[in-house]
Amino acid sequence: MDEVLLNALAEEASKGNRHDGSWTTEAYANVVKTLSIVIGPHITKNHIKNRMKTLKDHFAEAYDLFHHLSGFAWNPVTRKFEAEEEVWQDFIKELFGADRATGKGAATSRERIQEIARDHIDLNDSFENIGFSDIDVNMGHDTPTFPANLDSPSGPHSQPNQLGGTSASRGTKRKSPMNDFLEAQYEKLALGITTMTDAVKEGTYLSSKLHDVAQRQVESAERQASVAERQVSVAEKQVSLIERQVAIAEKGLAIMQQSRPRLYSESDVWDMLSELGLIGSARMQCYQFLCENEQKKRQIFGIPPEMRLDALFHFMTAAGVRLGDMVLS
């Protein structure tokens, strides 16, 4: 949850919503909106301010202890400050060497060093060797709860002094910075687990939704393919019907052409008589007979060409036409 808060503040700082060391009203509004979505709708501006104050205290405590020292390094994997053994011993002697404590119960430098010699503390030990009695971690829950003020210390904090402790016993003085540090690390770990769990759930949900969408698209594509197949079948039937209609129309046109009487012109008659070999007055007499008898003209054209001359003489004789001398070319 601290990581969400810090990321939101970093985002607002990059937008320019921090002036002269103070956050703008817009910055607080945006951060409240972000945390309300991720954590819950109960987050307010005061919650953010309280948590920011706690984070500053935690940072200042560690910063005061280590910023001016050499030989120390932060290991992001083990999440511990690391140094050589002699560096740790020199640091402890320096930290408790001066008579910084005052008032009742204050110990001298020699007494503190003797206590260190009797009760050796190895700050490079793993976290399992450090007592957790001062940390309220809500072990009964899968994830830590976020109090209303975004700050869940185990008890009221006293203002840290330069020795990294409070006005409690010497053992508390040594452990208080580490307890606060462990508490912050625990909160980050819990946030990471919660974020990972939410991401897995969201990924599963999105995967299910994408599967449903893909399934619907497949079904829609199958329906469209079926409709397209039916349309192709209908189109083929329409083409076949049109082809039959065209064939029927062609046959009807042929019948109409055959049934319609052909009209022969006078030039057609003259050419036909010339083809039969008629010349002179005989051709003129036959020409006049056919032009005056439309029915005989159609009949003569309906007879095969090799039989037309005999048929013409027969038609004219039957009609009582006296034939003159027939001259053939």
Side-chain angles (χ1 to χ4, degrees):
M1 296 178 184
D2 285 341
E3 186 175 359
V4 175
L5 172 61
L6 294 175
N7 287 338
L9 292 173
E11 177 69 19
E12 294 305 314
S14 66
K15 294 179 180 178
N17 291 333
R18 180 178 172 85
H19 304 291
D20 299 329
S22 300
W23 297 99
T24 64
T25 303
E26 181 182 358
Y28 279 115
N30 293 338
V31 173
V32 168
K33 181 179 179 181
T34 300
L35 268 65
S36 297
I37 295 174
V38 177
I39 300 174
H42 62 279
I43 303 300
T44 65
K45 179 179 178 181
N46 289 333
H47 294 155
I48 295 174
K49 286 185 174 181
N50 291 337
R51 191 58 185 172
M52 289 171 60
K53 182 179 181 301
T54 300
L55 294 175
K56 288 180 180 179
D57 292 341
H58 291 171
F59 172 79
E61 198 165 7
Y63 183 78
D64 290 341
L65 285 173
F66 293 99
H67 80 282
H68 65 285
L69 300 177
S70 61
F72 289 89
W74 172 254
N75 189 329
V77 178
T78 62
R79 296 182 178 273
K80 294 188 294 184
F81 286 101
E82 296 181 350
E84 298 295 335
E85 178 66 22
E86 56 271 17
V87 176
W88 277 115
Q89 295 300 325
D90 293 341
F91 169 65
I92 294 172
K93 292 178 181 180
E94 172 69 20
L95 185 64
F96 296 101
D99 286 333
R100 299 180 183 178
T102 59
K104 184 179 180 180
T108 65
S109 168
R110 184 182 299 275
E111 290 172 344
R112 295 192 186 97
I113 295 176
Q114 291 175 353
E115 289 177 1
I116 293 173
R118 291 194 305 267
D119 186 15
H120 178 71
I121 298 176
D122 184 2
L123 296 184
N124 269 325
D125 286 345
S126 62
F127 289 160
E128 288 77 2
N129 297 329
I130 299 175
F132 282 83
S133 59
D134 295 332
I135 304 176
D136 182 10
V137 295
N138 295 324
M139 294 301 290
H141 299 282
D142 293 336
T143 58
T145 58
F146 216 143
N149 63 354
L150 294 181
D151 190 5
S152 59
S154 59
H157 284 285
S158 300
Q159 183 66 24
N161 58 25
Q162 292 180 345
L163 297 179
T166 65
S167 60
S169 65
R170 290 189 296 274
T172 304
K173 289 180 182 178
R174 292 195 299 271
K175 293 183 179 180
S176 179
M178 188 59 69
N179 288 342
D180 293 339
F181 173 74
L182 290 175
E183 181 182 358
Q185 295 304 314
Y186 174 80
E187 291 179 357
K188 290 183 179 180
L189 178 61
L191 174 61
I193 294 175
T194 303
T195 303
M196 183 180 299
T197 303
D198 293 342
V200 172
K201 291 180 180 179
E202 183 177 359
T204 303
Y205 174 77
L206 291 177
S207 177
S208 177
K209 289 298 182 183
L210 290 174
H211 179 271
D212 293 341
V213 171
Q215 184 65 28
R216 289 195 296 270
Q217 290 178 344
V218 170
E219 293 175 355
S220 177
E222 290 176 349
R223 289 195 297 269
Q224 291 177 352
S226 178
V227 171
E229 290 177 356
R230 290 196 297 270
Q231 291 176 344
V232 170
S233 178
V234 171
E236 291 176 349
K237 292 180 180 179
Q238 290 177 345
V239 170
S240 177
L241 177 61
I242 292 173
E243 290 177 349
R244 290 196 297 270
Q245 291 176 344
V246 169
I248 293 173
E250 290 176 349
K251 292 181 180 179
L253 180 61
I255 294 173
M256 291 177 59
Q257 290 177 349
Q258 293 175 0
S259 61
R260 184 180 64 182
R262 181 176 177 181
L263 299 177
Y264 298 98
S265 64
E266 288 77 2
S267 61
D268 293 335
V269 173
W270 185 264
D271 292 339
M272 188 259 309
L273 295 174
S274 299
E275 291 174 357
L276 294 178
L278 295 173
I279 60 174
S281 60
R283 180 167 59 182
M284 182 60 66
Q285 188 176 10
C286 293
Y287 172 79
Q288 184 176 3
F289 172 77
L290 292 175
C291 290
E292 292 176 353
N293 294 276
E294 187 68 28
Q295 183 179 4
K296 298 300 182 182
K297 182 171 61 175
R298 289 199 304 272
Q299 290 178 353
I300 198 65
F301 276 101
I303 297 174
E306 64 274 11
M307 298 177 60
R308 288 177 181 175
L309 183 59
D310 294 337
L312 179 58
F313 290 160
H314 175 74
F315 290 157
M316 295 177 67
T317 302
V321 177
R322 183 175 179 277
L323 297 175
D325 296 333
M326 301 296 294
V327 180
L328 299 176
S329 61

